[in-house]
Coordinates of all heavy atoms in Angstrom, one line a residue:
A1 N 15.5 2.3 63.6 CA 15.3 1.6 64.9 C 16.5 1.5 65.6 O 16.6 1.6 66.9 CB 14.5 0.4 64.6
R2 N 17.6 1.0 64.8 CA 18.9 0.8 65.5 C 19.4 2.1 66.3 O 19.8 1.9 67.4 CB 19.9 0.4 64.4 CG 21.3 0.1 65.0 CD 22.3 -0.3 63.8 NE 21.8 -1.4 63.1 CZ 22.3 -2.6 63.3 NH1 23.2 -2.9 64.1 NH2 21.8 -3.6 62.5
T3 N 19.4 3.1 65.6 CA 19.8 4.4 66.2 C 19.0 4.8 67.4 O 19.5 5.2 68.4 CB 19.8 5.6 65.2 OG1 20.6 5.2 64.1 CG2 20.3 6.8 65.8
F4 N 17.6 4.6 67.3 CA 16.7 5.0 68.4 C 17.0 4.1 69.6 O 17.2 4.6 70.7 CB 15.3 4.8 67.9 CG 14.3 5.1 69.0 CD1 14.0 6.4 69.2 CD2 13.6 4.1 69.7 CE1 13.0 6.8 70.2 CE2 12.7 4.5 70.7 CZ 12.4 5.7 70.8
L5 N 17.3 2.8 69.4 CA 17.5 1.9 70.6 C 18.8 2.2 71.2 O 19.0 2.3 72.4 CB 17.5 0.4 70.0 CG 16.2 -0.1 69.7 CD1 16.3 -1.5 69.1 CD2 15.1 -0.1 70.8
Y6 N 19.9 2.6 70.3 CA 21.2 2.8 70.8 C 21.2 4.1 71.6 O 21.7 4.2 72.7 CB 22.2 2.9 69.6 CG 23.6 3.1 70.1 CD1 24.3 2.2 70.6 CD2 24.1 4.5 69.8 CE1 25.7 2.5 71.0 CE2 25.5 4.8 70.2 CZ 26.1 3.8 70.8 OH 27.5 4.1 71.2
E7 N 20.7 5.1 71.0 CA 20.7 6.5 71.6 C 19.9 6.5 73.0 O 20.4 7.2 73.9 CB 20.1 7.5 70.7 CG 21.0 7.8 69.5 CD 20.4 8.9 68.6 OE1 19.2 9.2 68.8 OE2 21.1 9.3 67.7
N8 N 18.9 5.7 73.1 CA 18.2 5.7 74.3 C 18.5 4.5 75.3 O 17.9 4.3 76.3 CB 16.6 5.7 73.9 CG 16.2 6.9 73.3 OD1 16.1 7.9 73.9 ND2 16.0 6.8 72.0
Q9 N 19.5 3.7 74.8 CA 20.0 2.6 75.6 C 18.9 1.8 76.2 O 18.8 1.6 77.3 CB 20.8 3.1 76.8 CG 22.1 3.8 76.3 CD 22.9 4.4 77.5 OE1 22.6 4.5 78.6 NE2 24.1 4.8 77.1
M10 N 18.1 1.3 75.2 CA 16.9 0.5 75.6 C 16.7 -0.7 74.8 O 15.7 -1.4 74.7 CB 15.6 1.4 75.6 CG 15.3 2.1 74.4 SD 13.8 3.1 74.5 CE 13.2 3.1 73.0
G11 N 17.8 -1.2 74.1 CA 17.7 -2.4 73.4 C 19.0 -2.7 72.6 O 19.8 -1.9 72.5
L12 N 19.1 -3.9 72.1 CA 20.3 -4.3 71.3 C 19.8 -4.7 70.0 O 18.6 -5.1 69.8 CB 20.9 -5.6 72.0 CG 21.4 -5.4 73.4 CD1 21.9 -6.7 74.1 CD2 22.5 -4.3 73.5
T13 N 20.7 -4.6 69.0 CA 20.4 -5.0 67.7 C 21.6 -6.0 67.2 O 22.5 -6.0 67.9 CB 20.4 -3.8 66.8 OG1 21.7 -3.1 66.8 CG2 19.3 -2.8 67.1
Y14 N 21.2 -6.7 66.2 CA 22.3 -7.7 65.6 C 22.4 -7.5 64.1 O 21.4 -6.9 63.5 CB 22.0 -9.1 66.1 CG 20.7 -9.5 65.6 CD1 20.6 -10.3 64.4 CD2 19.6 -9.4 66.3 CE1 19.4 -10.7 64.0 CE2 18.3 -9.8 65.8 CZ 18.2 -10.6 64.7 OH 17.0 -10.9 64.2
M15 N 23.5 -7.9 63.7 CA 23.6 -7.8 62.2 C 22.6 -8.7 61.5 O 22.5 -10.0 61.9 CB 25.1 -8.3 61.8 CG 26.1 -7.4 62.4 SD 26.0 -5.6 61.9 CE 26.1 -5.8 60.2
E16 N 21.9 -8.3 60.5 CA 20.9 -9.1 59.8 C 21.6 -10.3 59.3 O 22.7 -10.3 58.6 CB 20.4 -8.1 58.6 CG 19.3 -8.9 57.8 CD 18.7 -8.0 56.7 OE1 19.0 -6.8 56.6 OE2 18.1 -8.5 55.9
G17 N 20.9 -11.4 59.5 CA 21.3 -12.7 59.0 C 22.4 -13.3 59.7 O 22.8 -14.4 59.5
D18 N 22.9 -12.7 60.8 CA 24.1 -13.2 61.6 C 23.5 -13.9 62.8 O 23.3 -13.2 63.9 CB 24.9 -12.0 61.9 CG 26.3 -12.4 62.6 OD1 26.3 -13.6 63.2 OD2 27.2 -11.7 62.5
V19 N 23.3 -15.2 62.8 CA 22.8 -15.9 63.8 C 23.6 -15.8 65.1 O 23.1 -15.8 66.2 CB 22.4 -17.3 63.3 CG1 21.9 -18.2 64.5 CG2 21.5 -17.4 62.2
K20 N 25.0 -15.9 64.9 CA 25.8 -15.9 66.0 C 25.7 -14.6 66.8 O 25.7 -14.5 68.0 CB 27.3 -16.2 65.5 CG 28.3 -16.3 66.5 CD 29.7 -16.6 66.0 CE 30.7 -16.5 67.2 NZ 32.0 -16.9 66.6
D21 N 25.7 -13.5 66.0 CA 25.7 -12.1 66.6 C 24.2 -12.0 67.5 O 24.3 -11.6 68.5 CB 25.6 -11.1 65.6 CG 25.7 -9.6 66.1 OD1 26.3 -9.4 67.2 OD2 25.1 -8.8 65.6
C22 N 23.2 -12.6 66.9 CA 22.0 -12.6 67.5 C 21.9 -13.3 68.9 O 21.5 -12.9 69.9 CB 20.8 -13.2 66.6 SG 19.2 -13.3 67.4
A23 N 22.6 -14.5 68.7 CA 22.7 -15.4 69.9 C 23.5 -14.8 71.0 O 23.2 -14.8 72.3 CB 23.4 -16.7 69.5
E24 N 24.5 -14.0 70.6 CA 25.4 -13.3 71.6 C 24.6 -12.2 72.3 O 24.8 -12.0 73.5 CB 26.6 -12.7 70.9 CG 27.6 -13.8 70.5 CD 28.8 -13.2 69.6 OE1 28.8 -12.0 69.4 OE2 29.5 -14.0 69.3
K25 N 23.7 -11.5 71.6 CA 23.0 -10.5 72.1 C 22.0 -11.0 73.1 O 21.8 -10.5 74.2 CB 22.3 -9.5 71.0 CG 23.3 -8.9 70.2 CD 24.1 -7.9 70.8 CE 25.2 -7.3 70.0 NZ 25.0 -7.0 68.6
I26 N 21.3 -12.2 72.7 CA 20.4 -12.7 73.6 C 21.1 -13.3 74.9 O 20.6 -13.0 75.9 CB 19.7 -13.9 72.9 CG1 18.9 -13.3 71.8 CG2 18.8 -14.7 73.9 CD1 18.2 -14.4 70.8
R27 N 22.2 -13.9 74.7 CA 23.0 -14.4 75.7 C 23.3 -13.2 76.7 O 23.2 -13.4 78.0 CB 24.2 -15.0 75.3 CG 25.1 -15.7 76.4 CD 26.3 -16.5 75.8 NE 25.8 -17.6 75.0 CZ 26.2 -17.7 73.7 NH1 26.9 -16.8 73.1 NH2 25.7 -18.7 73.0
S28 N 23.8 -12.1 76.2 CA 24.2 -10.9 77.1 C 23.0 -10.6 78.0 O 23.1 -10.2 79.1 CB 24.9 -9.9 76.2 OG 23.9 -9.1 75.5
L29 N 21.9 -10.4 77.3 CA 20.7 -10.0 78.1 C 20.2 -11.1 79.1 O 19.8 -10.7 80.1 CB 19.4 -9.7 77.0 CG 19.5 -8.6 76.3 CD1 18.4 -8.5 75.1 CD2 19.5 -7.3 77.0
Y30 N 20.4 -12.3 78.8 CA 20.1 -13.4 79.7 C 20.9 -13.3 81.0 O 20.4 -13.4 82.1 CB 20.1 -14.6 79.0 CG 19.7 -15.9 79.9 CD1 18.4 -16.2 80.2 CD2 20.8 -16.6 80.5 CE1 18.0 -17.2 80.9 CE2 20.4 -17.7 81.3 CZ 19.0 -18.0 81.5 OH 18.7 -19.0 82.4
F31 N 22.1 -13.1 80.7 CA 23.2 -13.2 81.9 C 23.4 -11.9 82.5 O 23.9 -11.9 83.7 CB 24.5 -13.8 81.4 CG 24.3 -15.2 81.2 CD1 24.5 -15.7 79.8 CD2 24.3 -16.2 82.2 CE1 24.3 -17.1 79.6 CE2 24.2 -17.5 82.0 CZ 24.1 -18.0 80.6
D32 N 23.2 -10.7 82.0 CA 23.4 -9.5 82.6 C 22.1 -8.9 83.1 O 21.5 -8.0 82.4 CB 24.1 -8.6 81.5 CG 24.7 -7.3 82.1 OD1 24.3 -6.9 83.2 OD2 25.6 -6.7 81.5
E33 N 21.8 -9.1 84.4 CA 20.6 -8.6 84.8 C 20.5 -7.1 85.0 O 19.5 -6.5 84.9 CB 20.4 -9.2 86.3 CG 19.1 -8.8 86.9 CD 18.8 -9.5 88.2 OE1 19.5 -10.5 88.5 OE2 17.9 -9.0 89.0
I34 N 21.7 -6.5 85.2 CA 21.8 -5.0 85.3 C 21.5 -4.4 84.0 O 20.8 -3.4 83.9 CB 23.2 -4.5 85.9 CG1 23.3 -5.1 87.4 CG2 23.4 -3.1 85.7 CD1 24.8 -4.9 87.9
L35 N 22.1 -4.9 82.9 CA 21.8 -4.4 81.6 C 20.4 -4.5 81.2 O 19.8 -3.6 80.8 CB 22.7 -5.2 80.6 CG 22.5 -4.7 79.1 CD1 22.8 -3.3 78.9 CD2 23.2 -5.8 78.1
R36 N 19.8 -5.7 81.5 CA 18.4 -5.9 81.2 C 17.5 -5.0 82.0 O 16.6 -4.4 81.4 CB 18.1 -7.4 81.5 CG 17.0 -8.0 80.9 CD 16.8 -9.5 81.1 NE 16.8 -10.0 82.6 CZ 17.7 -10.6 83.1 NH1 18.7 -11.0 82.5 NH2 17.7 -11.0 84.4
S37 N 17.7 -4.8 83.2 CA 17.0 -3.9 84.1 C 17.2 -2.5 83.7 O 16.1 -1.8 83.5 CB 17.4 -4.0 85.6 OG 16.7 -3.2 86.4
Q38 N 18.3 -2.0 83.3 CA 18.4 -0.7 82.9 C 17.8 -0.4 81.5 O 17.1 0.6 81.3 CB 19.9 -0.3 82.8 CG 20.2 1.2 82.5 CD 19.8 2.1 83.6 OE1 20.1 1.9 84.7 NE2 18.9 3.0 83.1
M39 N 17.9 -1.4 80.6 CA 17.2 -1.2 79.3 C 15.7 -1.1 79.5 O 15.0 -0.3 78.9 CB 17.7 -2.3 78.2 CG 19.0 -2.1 77.8 SD 19.2 -3.4 76.5 CE 20.8 -3.0 75.9
S40 N 15.2 -2.0 80.3 CA 13.8 -2.0 80.7 C 13.3 -0.7 81.2 O 12.3 -0.1 80.8 CB 13.6 -3.1 81.6 OG 12.1 -3.1 82.0
Q41 N 14.1 -0.1 82.1 CA 13.7 1.2 82.8 C 13.7 2.3 81.7 O 12.9 3.2 81.8 CB 14.7 1.5 84.0 CG 14.3 2.7 84.7 CD 12.9 2.8 85.4 OE1 12.5 1.7 85.8 NE2 12.2 3.9 85.3
N42 N 14.9 2.3 81.0 CA 14.9 3.3 79.8 C 13.8 3.2 78.9 O 13.2 4.3 78.5 CB 16.2 3.2 79.1 CG 17.4 3.4 79.9 OD1 17.4 4.1 81.0 ND2 18.6 3.0 79.5
A43 N 13.3 2.0 78.6 CA 12.2 1.9 77.6 C 11.0 2.4 78.2 O 10.1 3.1 77.6 CB 12.1 0.4 77.2
V44 N 10.7 2.1 79.5 CA 9.5 2.6 80.2 C 9.5 4.2 80.3 O 8.5 4.7 80.0 CB 9.4 2.0 81.6 CG1 8.4 2.7 82.5 CG2 9.1 0.5 81.6
E45 N 10.6 4.7 80.7 CA 10.7 6.1 80.7 C 10.5 6.8 79.3 O 9.8 7.8 79.2 CB 12.1 6.6 81.2 CG 12.3 6.2 82.7 CD 13.7 6.6 83.3 OE1 14.5 7.1 82.4 OE2 13.9 6.2 84.4
K46 N 11.1 6.2 78.3 CA 10.9 6.7 76.9 C 9.5 6.7 76.6 O 8.8 7.6 76.0 CB 11.8 6.1 76.0 CG 11.6 6.6 74.5 CD 11.8 8.1 74.4 CE 13.3 8.4 74.3 NZ 13.4 9.9 74.1
F47 N 8.8 5.5 76.8 CA 7.4 5.4 76.5 C 6.6 6.4 77.2 O 5.7 7.0 76.6 CB 6.8 3.9 76.8 CG 5.4 3.7 76.5 CD1 5.1 3.3 75.3 CD2 4.6 3.9 77.5 CE1 3.8 3.2 74.9 CE2 3.1 3.6 77.2 CZ 2.8 3.3 75.9
E48 N 6.8 6.5 78.6 CA 5.9 7.5 79.3 C 6.2 8.9 78.7 O 5.2 9.8 78.7 CB 6.3 7.4 80.8 CG 5.8 6.1 81.3 CD 6.2 5.8 82.8 OE1 7.1 6.6 83.2 OE2 5.6 5.0 83.5
D49 N 7.5 9.2 78.4 CA 7.8 10.6 77.9 C 7.0 10.8 76.5 O 6.6 12.0 76.3 CB 9.3 10.6 77.7 CG 9.7 12.0 77.2 OD1 9.3 13.1 77.8 OD2 10.3 12.1 76.2
M50 N 7.0 9.9 75.7 CA 6.5 10.0 74.3 C 4.9 9.8 74.2 O 4.3 10.4 73.3 CB 7.2 9.1 73.3 CG 8.6 9.3 73.1 SD 9.4 8.2 72.0 CE 8.7 8.7 70.4
F51 N 4.4 9.0 75.1 CA 2.9 8.5 74.9 C 2.1 8.8 76.1 O 0.9 8.3 76.1 CB 2.9 7.1 74.6 CG 3.7 6.8 73.3 CD1 4.9 6.1 73.3 CD2 3.2 7.3 71.9 CE1 5.5 5.8 72.0 CE2 3.8 7.1 70.9 CZ 5.1 6.2 70.9
E52 N 2.5 9.5 77.1 CA 1.7 9.8 78.3 C 0.5 10.6 77.7 O 0.7 11.6 77.0 CB 2.6 10.6 79.3 CG 1.9 10.7 80.6 CD 1.0 11.9 80.8 OE1 1.5 13.0 80.2 OE2 -0.1 11.8 81.3
A53 N -0.6 10.2 78.1 CA -2.0 10.8 77.6 C -2.1 12.3 77.6 O -2.3 12.9 76.6 CB -3.1 10.1 78.3
S54 N -1.8 12.9 78.7 CA -1.9 14.4 78.7 C -1.0 15.1 77.8 O -1.3 16.2 77.3 CB -1.7 14.9 80.3 OG -0.4 14.7 80.7
K55 N 0.3 14.5 77.7 CA 1.2 15.2 76.8 C 0.8 15.0 75.3 O 0.8 15.9 74.5 CB 2.6 14.6 77.0 CG 3.6 15.2 76.1 CD 5.1 14.7 76.3 CE 6.0 15.3 75.4 NZ 7.4 14.9 75.6
V56 N 0.4 13.8 75.0 CA 0.0 13.5 73.6 C -1.3 14.3 73.3 O -1.4 15.0 72.2 CB -0.4 12.0 73.4 CG1 -1.0 11.7 72.1 CG2 0.9 11.2 73.6
N57 N -2.2 14.4 74.3 CA -3.4 15.2 73.9 C -3.1 16.7 73.8 O -3.7 17.4 72.9 CB -4.4 15.0 75.1 CG -5.0 13.6 75.2 OD1 -5.0 12.9 74.2 ND2 -5.6 13.2 76.4
K58 N -2.1 17.2 74.6 CA -1.9 18.6 74.5 C -1.1 18.9 73.2 O -1.5 19.9 72.5 CB -0.9 19.0 75.6 CG -0.4 20.4 75.6 CD 0.4 20.8 76.8 CE 1.0 22.2 76.9 NZ 0.4 23.3 76.2
E59 N -0.3 18.0 72.7 CA 0.3 18.2 71.5 C -0.6 18.1 70.3 O -0.6 18.9 69.2 CB 1.4 17.2 71.2 CG 2.7 17.4 72.2 CD 3.7 16.3 72.1 OE1 3.5 15.3 71.4 OE2 4.7 16.4 72.7
F60 N -1.6 17.2 70.4 CA -2.6 17.0 69.3 C -3.4 18.2 69.4 O -3.7 18.8 68.3 CB -3.4 15.7 69.6 CG -4.4 15.5 68.5 CD1 -3.9 15.3 67.2 CD2 -5.8 15.4 68.7 CE1 -4.9 15.0 66.1 CE2 -6.6 15.2 67.8 CZ -6.2 15.0 66.5
E61 N -3.8 18.8 70.5 CA -4.6 20.0 70.6 C -3.8 21.2 69.9 O -4.5 22.0 69.1 CB -5.0 20.4 72.0 CG -5.7 21.7 72.2 CD -5.9 22.0 73.7 OE1 -5.4 21.4 74.6 OE2 -6.6 23.0 73.9
E62 N -2.6 21.4 70.1 CA -1.8 22.4 69.6 C -1.8 22.3 68.1 O -1.8 23.3 67.3 CB -0.3 22.4 70.2 CG -0.4 22.8 71.6 CD 1.0 22.6 72.3 OE1 2.0 22.1 71.6 OE2 1.2 23.0 73.6
Y63 N -1.5 21.0 67.6 CA -1.6 20.8 66.2 C -3.0 21.2 65.6 O -2.9 21.8 64.5 CB -1.3 19.3 66.0 CG -1.6 18.9 64.5 CD1 -0.7 19.2 63.5 CD2 -2.8 18.3 64.2 CE1 -1.0 18.8 62.2 CE2 -3.0 17.8 62.8 CZ -2.1 18.2 61.8 OH -2.3 17.8 60.5
L64 N -4.0 20.7 66.2 CA -5.3 21.2 65.6 C -5.5 22.6 65.6 O -6.1 23.2 64.6 CB -6.4 20.5 66.3 CG -6.6 19.0 66.2 CD1 -7.6 18.4 67.3 CD2 -6.9 18.6 64.7
L65 N -5.1 23.3 66.7 CA -5.3 24.8 66.8 C -4.3 25.4 65.6 O -4.9 26.4 65.0 CB -4.8 25.3 68.1 CG -5.8 25.0 69.2 CD1 -5.3 25.5 70.5 CD2 -7.2 25.7 68.9
S66 N -3.3 24.9 65.4 CA -2.4 25.6 64.4 C -3.1 25.3 63.0 O -3.0 26.2 62.1 CB -0.9 25.0 64.4 OG -0.9 23.7 64.1
F67 N -3.6 24.2 62.8 CA -4.2 23.9 61.6 C -5.5 24.8 61.3 O -5.7 25.4 60.2 CB -4.7 22.4 61.6 CG -5.3 22.0 60.3 CD1 -4.7 21.8 59.1 CD2 -6.7 21.8 60.3 CE1 -5.3 21.4 57.9 CE2 -7.4 21.5 59.0 CZ -6.7 21.2 57.9
V68 N -6.3 25.0 62.4 CA -7.4 25.9 62.4 C -7.0 27.3 61.9 O -7.6 28.0 61.0 CB -8.2 25.8 63.5 CG1 -9.3 26.9 63.6 CG2 -8.9 24.4 63.6
K69 N -5.9 27.8 62.7 CA -5.5 29.2 62.4 C -4.9 29.3 61.0 O -5.2 30.4 60.4 CB -4.3 29.4 63.4 CG -4.8 29.6 64.8 CD -3.7 29.9 65.8 CE -4.2 30.0 67.2 NZ -3.0 30.3 68.2
E70 N -4.3 28.3 60.4 CA -3.9 28.4 59.0 C -5.1 28.6 58.0 O -5.0 29.2 57.0 CB -3.0 27.2 58.7 CG -1.7 27.2 59.3 CD -0.9 25.9 59.0 OE1 -1.1 25.4 57.9 OE2 0.1 25.7 59.6
C71 N -6.2 27.9 58.4 CA -7.3 28.0 57.5 C -8.0 29.3 57.5 O -8.9 29.6 56.7 CB -8.3 26.8 57.9 SG -7.7 25.2 57.6
Y72 N -7.9 30.2 58.7 CA -8.6 31.4 58.7 C -7.7 32.6 58.7 O -6.7 32.8 59.0 CB -9.5 31.3 60.0 CG -10.5 30.4 59.9 CD1 -10.5 29.2 60.5 CD2 -11.7 30.7 59.3 CE1 -11.5 28.2 60.4 CE2 -12.8 29.8 59.2 CZ -12.7 28.6 59.8 OH -13.7 27.7 59.7

């Protein structure tokens, strides 16, 4: 998850068990509207890219067709 968020610039992570690090990340999101807005936009774009219905349906159809071809 950490790598996915970092590579797509759509979220922050903090060190496990480090309350101070977590608070710093929350503070940075609270005070940096540009960062918050950019991460939000990146998340929306990634979601639409990965889960848009016609794309998912097409990929599922291709998967099913390849499966059927392997059986015959």
Side-chain angles (χ1 to χ4, degrees):
R2 179 183 301 258
T3 302
F4 183 76
L5 292 174
Y6 178 77
E7 287 176 352
N8 294 287
Q9 299 178 346
M10 57 186 205
L12 300 175
T13 61
Y14 61 93
M15 298 301 296
E16 183 179 346
D18 190 338
V19 176
K20 184 177 179 180
D21 186 36
C22 179
E24 288 172 5
K25 300 298 174 30
I26 292 170
R27 186 178 297 117
S28 70
L29 287 173
Y30 180 78
F31 288 109
D32 192 338
E33 185 176 341
I34 294 170
L35 176 64
R36 202 170 55 246
S37 177
Q38 187 61 55
M39 285 185 175
S40 175
Q41 183 62 38
N42 292 345
V44 167
E45 289 173 5
K46 180 55 83 173
F47 180 84
E48 289 173 349
D49 180 54
M50 293 179 72
F51 301 109
E52 193 270 320
S54 65
K55 181 177 181 179
V56 171
N57 291 341
K58 181 173 175 30
E59 290 175 0
F60 187 61
E61 178 184 4
E62 291 170 359
Y63 168 77
L64 290 175
L65 288 173
S66 70
F67 181 74
V68 168
K69 288 178 183 178
E70 287 180 20
C71 291
Y72 292 98

